[in-house]
Structures are given as C-alpha cells and as structure tokens.
Amino acid sequence: MSGSAQSQPESPSARAWRGFKKNRLAMISLVFLIVVSLLAIMQPLVERYLTRFTVVENHPCHRYLPPGARGIPRDNFLLAPVADEASARADLNHDGAWTALELSEALAHEELAMLDADGDSALNAAELDAAPRALTAPAAAVLKTLDKDGSGTLNFVEARIFIDLFPVGEATAWTRRFDTDADGKLSASEFPGLPRPATFWAGTDSLGRDLTVRLVYGARVSLMVGLLATLVSLVIGLIWGAVAGWNGGRIDALMMRIVDVLYGLPFMFLVILLMVVFGRDIRLLYIAIGAMSWLTMARIVRGQVLALRNLDYVQAARAVGASTTSILFKHLLPNALGPILVYATLTVPETMLTESFLSFLGLGVQAPYTSWGALANDGARAGIMLTYPWLLLFPGTILTLTLFALNVVGEALRDVLDPRSQNG
Amino acid sequence: MLRSLAARLLQNLAVLFVVLSLSFLVMKLAPGSPLSKDRDLPPEIEAMLQEQYGLNKPLAEQYFDYVARLAHGDLGPSIKQEAPVADILLAALPYSLITGLQAMAFAILVGIPLGILAAMRPRTFWDHATMAISTLAISVPNFVLGPILILVFALGLGWTRTGGWAGWSDSILPSISLGCFYMAYVSRLARSGMLEVSKLDHVRTARAKGASETRVVLVHILRAGLLPVVSFLGPAFAAVLTGSVVVERVFNVPGIGTFFVDAAFNRDYFLVLGAILVYSVLLVMLNLAVDLVYSVIDPRITLDGKQA
C-alpha cells in the first residue's frame, strides 16, 4: 500500500473485501457461483444458443444416451446451407427432393463417418472406444452384441442403432413442418437445408431429454428457491429479532421463549405435509421453507440489537428525537449488518438443501420443469444408477459443489465480517 | 430443579398439542380423501366407510373425537392399511431409531476426534485438510451420498445389499449417509470450541504448572470445549430424525419416515398424525435430555433457560 493512499482510512467494507480476496478457495467458490448464477439467469439463451435442446423437448429414440451423444434438436436446430454438398448427397435417389427416410439415412451415414476415424466405413473397437456414446458398456461388449456377421467391425447396418441421429419418426415430423404442399417430400424450394446435430453434453434421461439444459434449468429453480426462502427467513427473523431486542424485558423473554420452543418442532414434517396437501406450488415451497428457517436469524438479530441499543451513539440519536424506526434502520441495522449478512449467506445453502430434499421426495416443482433435487431423484433409482450413472452423478455433483461454494463463501465472509463469532 | 423440569414437561405437552392440532387442520383442509384414491366405491359403501371412520361428522367433532381417543392412548386406525396406527408405527419405529442413533454415534465418534485433531494443530495442514473435508461433508446432501455409497459398496464391491432391511448390515450405509453431515458439523464445533477454551486463563495456568499436553487437552480444554457440541446434539437429533425420511426412501428402510410420506400422499389421516406425534414426542424428549445433560456439564445453565 502506497504512503499517499494512507491519508484516508480504509473503509470497513474495503478492508473486508481485501481480507476476503486473500482466501483463495473462497474466491474460486465466488467465481463458480457467479458462473452458475449467470447460466441460470440466462437459461432461455442457453437453450437457444448453447445446448440447442430445450428443457421440455423429449426424444423417445434417444433415451438414456451417455454424455457426448448427438441428436437433432427439435426447435432450436441449425441448418446446413442448401447448396452444401452433403445436402445433394442426402438426396439418395437424386430426384431433387428429400424425404424423411433419406434425411434419416443421410445423417446416420454422416454420424458413422464422424466416428469412423480410419475411413473404412465400419467401426472397430478402437473407434467405438473413442466414441463418447460407447460409454454405456465397454467397446468390446458393444461390438460383440452388435456384430452380427462376425467381421470384427460394425458396418452401417450393424451400427445403425448406434448412429441413428435422426430416427425416421423424428425426421418425418421435421419434414412435415416444411412440406407446404404435403406431398410427403421436400422439393428444392421447400428444403431448408440439412439439420445439424447438437451434442447432449451430459447425456439424456429416461424420456430422451437433454440433461445439460435440465441442469441449467434446475439451477434456476434451486437457486431461486434458495434465495427467496432465505429472503423470507431474513424478513421474519429481522422483524422478530429487532422487536424482541429493542423492547427487551417481558416482550423479549416471551418472544425468545417462543423461538426456543419452535426449535423443538419437526418443521420438516409440517412442510412435507403442506406440500403434499396443498400441491406443489413454487410460492408455497419457498414461503414454507423460509418460514421454518428464521429462528436462528431472529436470535442473531436480537443479540445484535440488544448489544447496540444502549451504546452512547444510539442514546444520542434518541436524545435528539430520532424516531424508533429511524434509529433501527439508520443506526442499528448498518452496524449489525455483518453478522446478519454472514448468517443470511449461510442460510442459502441450508434452504437449497431443504428444497432439494422436498424435490427428491417428489414434492418440489412439477414435471417437466425440474430442480437439482428432482434430477438427483430421477437418477437415484436402483435400476438406473449403475447403468446410467451420469443421471445421478451430474446433478449430485453440481448440487454438492454449489452448496460447498456457498458454505465456503459464507465462512470466508464470517472470518472477515464477524471474526468474534465462533459457530461451526 | 424438579419444578423447572415439571414446567418444561407441561410446556412441551402444550407444544405437542399445538403441533397436532395444526397438522389435523392442514390435513382436513386439504382436498381429497383417503377413500377417493384408488377405486370408485359405490356410494352406499363409501357412506358406510365414512361412518366407520367418523369422516362424515363435522370437523370440530372429528377433532374432539381424535383428541379424546388420544387421551386413552388410542392412535386410531390406518384407513389404507386396515391396521391400528399404533401397531404400524411400533413396527416401524425400531428401524428409524436404530438408523438415527447409529448416525449420531457415527457423528460423535468420528466428529469429535477429528475436531480435536484439528484443534491441537491449528493453522497447519491437518487443520485445513480436516476443515475442508468437513465443509465438503456438510455440503453433500444425504440423498446424493446414499446412492453413491450404494453404487460403490453395494453394486460395485458387493459388500452390502442395495436396500431393504434384513439384518444389521443393512443399517450401515443408511446410518453413514445420515450421519455424515452431523459428523462434519460436530468436528467443526469441537474444533472451534476447543480453540476458544484453549485461550482461557485456566488453561494457561495448567500449562504453567507443568501439566502434560495430553492432560491439558483432555482435562482442561475438552470439558468446556465440547459444550457447543452438546448443545448441538438436541437440534441434531431432531434433524437426524427428519433427515431419515429421505434416507429411508433411498435405502428402502421400512421406517416411520417412509410410512409418513406415503400416508400423507394417501390422506391416511390418523397415520400421518400418529407419525407426527411420535416424531414430536421424540424431539421433545431428546431436547429435554440434552438440556439436562447440559445443566450437569455446565452448572451456569439452568433448565428454565436462564443463566444463573
């Protein structure tokens, strides 16, 4: 720090930020959280331009595909230019028109060519190994089951199940959209170009939905519910704690006794009961979660208000005739902000965890929309886990990492903002 | 002491009553009925069943009937399972209790030594490593950890079964996935509690007198340093019990949590209320027990919550 900058003392928030920046794990966590949040906020753009697959679209022919497999997005597909050589080649019978069957065939050939590294129009074990979609089973096993003619490689017919990017059913639906004269094929004027495949980066689920975009959508729901529930708990806790701490005496004793008693309640069961009974409304979800998480916040706020309210500067504010609200909001809360902020940060992972609990039990958001807990629930079924592990591992890992990052950031904040506190 | 104990018991009774009444109201306000789910009953049979379970009476009367029956120790019939609620819960309780108690044992027996280890070498590699691992363990939801344990130990290595409950070995994985979070939390509480106490004067005096380091840690630091852990155990037991709902689902444990969720979906009123009652009683008793233990360890704390 240069000497000339010393003339003005460093502000507390600047000092806190300087301390926070020293914690490398916390900085990494913060960046991670920002990236996840940005993706979640921009989910509509993500599905339009990055994943290409939307949250709701399902591809019945592409169920349980491993990460890296490819398919044709239904709505946000890209097209190759019509003049492209591949388009001409796709017109198998050279009649100047494209049928669904031809398109399906052409894209399967294209996929085979992509996987076929040595260009012999057949897939050998090494090529299968390199193909991301071979992940469901070892390449040797795949080869053994599919190689009907015993050649040791998979030719186009044998590999068909493996390379069918654009199954005839989907191709038919796709062609129909452009087939204005309804003659079952696309003439040169109707043909928009060959649809380009997109990659299922995280694989697909039991309905052939893209897991990547569902993870991004799940982030949206999980983070939003976590934040809103924390906000609800913050509001209740602030009001309850401030009223108790400010008034003191009997009111304080009674209000804090109520908090003590509420600590002993099986809140989770009441929330489960509420969700089961009144349906899976997302507003009910975060209000209920927030309403069960405010107790500690109330205790912290009360402690802060109690400690601050008799300090000289508050007495002075009172002496010059400041109103109670203005003392509370202008003089007390800014000074109590540190511990409150710290606890609020640590409440976010807690509420997210509760949300994912409920979603895991099938009580969160409604299908086809989803959250990380619901996704983990889909992947944690006994028959699915071992064969299609990505369905559990991706949502489980991203949820764990996010909770980890939130906890690390919260603890780093506590170290710089509230060093005297010693909880956990 | 006795008087404050009695006051606490009375207070807890009132709390139980409020919880039950609230749950009753929520259940009854809900759309749907236990009879409407699976089949279309002929109207006269439905009327007969309604009559049998007292569902046709006014809400207030149903409520007073229920409370009156409770006062006689009767939890009512399960409408779906055609068995007394008390029998169902009594059969399910051991599974939940064993899982929960083992989870707590795991949390305490692993968490406290880890915390001591970290506290004895503060700001070293061991400290940082233990704390990073415990933050990670706090962040893994048990419904993610559980399936991963199944994947590794049951499906991969074949050491245990994937779920169900045929013997004690089936309780290991559920207990660990349930207890992991609390293990991590206990270790952090133990660490910070001990670090706090180790700065106090009596510890310095003990060192100055020449007491061995082991003696200083075990005798002078541990007792006061573990107070935060003890006060955490009450809420922890509570959370372990609620957490068991999910773990029971993951491992197909036939415990109370499983029955509770199914019963709530089926609108099986008496079974839901019975499960909530059992949980609340357990919670209240555990909290009371923890406060008792606390007032023994730390004489400054009294049972009615005032600092002496």
Side-chain angles (χ1 to χ4, degrees):
Chain A
M1 203 170 296
S2 66
S4 59
Q6 281 292 351
S7 57
Q8 192 146 25
E10 194 179 23
S11 79
S13 51
R15 191 173 57 225
W17 172 237
R18 193 160 51 84
F20 186 89
K21 274 196 289 188
K22 275 191 205 142
N23 188 335
R24 204 180 308 157
L25 188 58
M27 283 305 282
I28 296 173
S29 302
L30 189 63
V31 171
F32 174 80
L33 288 176
I34 290 173
V35 170
V36 171
S37 317
L38 280 180
L39 279 176
I41 291 168
M42 298 190 299
Q43 182 267 336
L45 294 177
V46 168
E47 77 176 18
R48 183 111 190 80
Y49 297 108
L50 287 180
T51 63
R52 300 276 165 192
F53 299 98
T54 58
V55 191
V56 289
E57 77 181 65
N58 55 331
H59 296 264
C61 297
H62 291 325
R63 298 162 67 233
Y64 296 123
L65 287 185
R70 307 201 303 162
I72 306 289
R74 191 158 304 144
D75 296 319
N76 301 328
F77 51 80
L78 279 177
L79 294 169
V82 188
D84 192 76
E85 221 182 297
S87 303
R89 246 185 291 127
D91 179 16
L92 296 174
N93 57 4
H94 306 292
D95 62 350
W98 290 264
T99 63
L101 207 62
E102 285 173 336
L103 290 177
S104 173
E105 233 15 60
L107 285 171
H109 272 290
E110 206 177 286
E111 185 71 357
L112 179 74
M114 197 192 85
L115 299 178
D116 178 25
D118 57 10
D120 61 354
S121 297
L123 299 177
N124 58 32
E127 285 160 355
L128 278 178
D129 248 345
R133 55 174 57 191
L135 275 178
T136 29
V142 174
L143 199 59
K144 208 175 146 200
T145 10
L146 295 180
D147 183 20
K148 297 279 189 298
D149 62 5
S151 62
T153 55
L154 301 180
N155 60 31
F156 180 75
V157 178
E158 289 164 347
R160 189 60 198 258
I161 187 173
F162 208 66
I163 55 178
D164 205 5
L165 269 198
F166 203 29
V168 180
E170 285 192 21
T172 311
W174 190 85
T175 359
R176 220 172 269 146
R177 271 198 239 175
F178 301 96
D179 186 12
T180 37
D181 58 7
D183 61 351
K185 53 189 176 186
L186 300 173
S187 63
S189 61
E190 288 165 343
F191 184 59
L194 272 185
R196 305 312 308 150
T199 309
F200 299 108
W201 292 111
T204 63
D205 67 3
S206 59
L207 294 174
R209 294 177 295 202
D210 177 40
L211 187 58
T212 323
V213 72
R214 291 180 73 70
L215 284 171
V216 174
Y217 190 88
R220 209 176 157 86
V221 173
S222 295
L223 290 173
M224 192 182 76
V225 172
L227 286 176
L228 288 176
T230 303
L231 198 67
V232 171
S233 85
L234 187 65
V235 169
I236 305 178
L238 265 180
I239 294 174
W240 194 276
V243 169
W246 183 255
N247 288 300
R250 282 238 175 122
I251 298 179
D252 178 37
L254 178 70
M255 288 177 87
M256 286 301 117
R257 201 76 196 116
I258 291 177
V259 168
D260 290 345
V261 169
L262 288 179
Y263 259 109
L265 290 192
F267 268 115
M268 191 71 182
F269 288 90
L270 295 181
V271 173
I272 292 176
L273 198 57
L274 274 178
M275 295 311 292
V276 169
V277 160
F278 290 111
R280 294 136 214 194
D281 185 339
I282 197 160
R283 277 164 300 175
L284 180 64
L285 187 64
Y286 61 73
I287 291 175
I289 296 175
M292 67 180 262
S293 330
W294 59 274
L295 298 174
T296 311
M297 182 58 86
R299 279 190 178 171
I300 289 173
V301 173
R302 178 237 178 206
Q304 291 290 319
V305 171
L306 211 55
L308 292 174
R309 71 171 180 164
N310 288 327
L311 293 186
D312 289 343
Y313 81 96
V314 179
Q315 299 296 340
R318 221 189 268 199
V320 299
S323 68
T324 307
T325 24
S326 108
I327 294 179
L328 271 177
F329 284 99
K330 270 194 184 152
H331 300 290
L332 287 185
L333 280 186
N335 281 300
L337 206 58
I340 293 173
L341 189 70
V342 167
Y343 188 71
T345 317
L346 290 170
T347 307
V348 177
E350 215 174 284
T351 51
M352 281 182 66
L353 198 61
T354 313
E355 184 274 332
S356 60
F357 252 55
L358 292 170
S359 293
F360 185 82
L361 291 174
L363 297 172
V365 281
Q366 287 278 39
Y369 300 105
T370 194
S371 79
W372 286 339
L375 287 172
N377 182 28
D378 289 342
R381 307 243 157 90
I384 290 178
M385 256 187 322
L386 193 62
T387 334
Y388 317 111
W390 59 88
L391 288 177
L392 169 67
L393 295 181
F394 282 123
T397 311
I398 190 117
L399 175 58
T400 305
L401 283 180
T402 305
L403 295 176
F404 179 75
L406 281 165
N407 279 321
V408 168
V409 167
E411 279 159 22
L413 273 184
R414 179 171 53 207
D415 288 345
V416 293
L417 289 179
D418 187 19
R420 274 162 306 162
S421 125
Q422 43 148 342
N423 282 327
Chain B
M1 177 89 177
L2 265 182
R3 178 182 281 183
S4 55
L5 193 64
R8 275 292 294 272
L9 280 174
L10 222 75
Q11 193 182 32
N12 291 335
L13 212 61
V15 172
L16 288 182
F17 197 71
V18 170
V19 171
L20 267 191
S21 309
L22 263 180
S23 316
F24 188 89
L25 207 63
V26 168
M27 281 303 318
K28 290 291 177 177
L29 285 179
S33 119
L35 303 175
S36 66
K37 264 278 171 84
D38 40 13
R39 56 215 150 161
D40 272 327
L41 294 168
E44 59 272 23
I45 294 189
E46 188 166 337
M48 199 190 76
L49 284 170
Q50 294 237 346
E51 174 80 36
Q52 184 190 336
Y53 294 117
L55 299 175
N56 52 354
K57 293 181 188 164
L59 190 65
E61 208 181 324
Q62 289 189 39
Y63 177 67
F64 287 119
D65 279 356
Y66 182 69
V67 174
R69 259 198 288 188
L70 261 190
H72 290 94
D74 178 7
L75 293 178
S78 159
I79 299 169
K80 280 277 154 173
Q81 315 224 12
E82 289 161 10
V85 166
D87 290 359
I88 296 176
L89 293 180
L90 222 56
L93 188 60
Y95 300 110
S96 298
L97 271 187
I98 291 175
T99 315
L101 289 176
Q102 284 186 165
M104 285 311 289
F106 172 72
I108 293 169
L109 295 179
V110 180
I112 290 182
L114 271 183
I116 295 177
L117 183 78
M120 282 175 76
R121 292 175 172 54
R123 314 215 176 278
T124 62
F125 168 78
W126 288 110
D127 185 24
H128 293 310
T130 322
M131 287 305 109
I133 290 171
S134 75
T135 306
L136 191 63
I138 281 177
S139 309
V140 188
N142 53 27
F143 61 82
V144 173
L145 183 64
I148 289 176
L149 289 179
I150 293 179
L151 208 56
V152 174
F153 292 103
L155 296 171
L157 298 170
W159 289 355
T160 56
R161 304 189 321 134
T162 53
W165 193 295
W168 178 74
S169 66
D170 289 330
S171 74
I172 301 173
L173 292 189
S175 303
I176 292 179
S177 32
L178 188 54
C180 186
F181 175 93
Y182 304 96
M183 181 274 289
Y185 209 93
V186 162
S187 76
R188 330 194 97 220
L189 284 177
R191 172 186 175 269
S192 60
M194 288 183 61
L195 283 181
E196 194 72 16
V197 173
S198 62
K199 288 179 209 140
L200 296 183
D201 290 342
H202 77 273
V203 176
R204 202 178 45 194
T205 312
R207 287 223 170 86
K209 281 196 311 182
S212 73
E213 190 56 31
T214 327
R215 195 181 148 77
V216 169
V217 170
L218 291 183
V219 177
H220 298 279
I221 299 181
L222 208 54
R223 178 164 162 178
L226 289 187
L227 279 179
V229 176
V230 177
S231 60
F232 172 66
L233 291 184
F237 265 119
V240 158
L241 286 173
T242 25
S244 71
V245 175
V246 170
V247 171
E248 283 173 19
R249 174 66 62 104
V250 170
F251 290 92
N252 278 321
V253 175
I256 293 190
T258 309
F259 281 104
F260 171 73
V261 176
D262 290 344
F265 273 115
N266 290 330
R267 306 277 188 277
D268 196 340
Y269 301 129
F270 300 121
L271 190 49
V272 168
L273 293 174
I276 289 187
L277 182 71
V278 169
Y279 272 113
S280 308
V281 168
L282 277 175
L283 283 189
V284 161
M285 301 305 284
L286 284 169
N287 274 322
L288 198 58
V290 166
D291 287 355
L292 270 176
V293 172
Y294 207 89
S295 66
V296 170
I297 301 184
D298 187 351
R300 289 171 301 178
I301 307 286
T302 60
L303 257 188
D304 36 23
K306 294 181 194 108
Q307 300 248 340

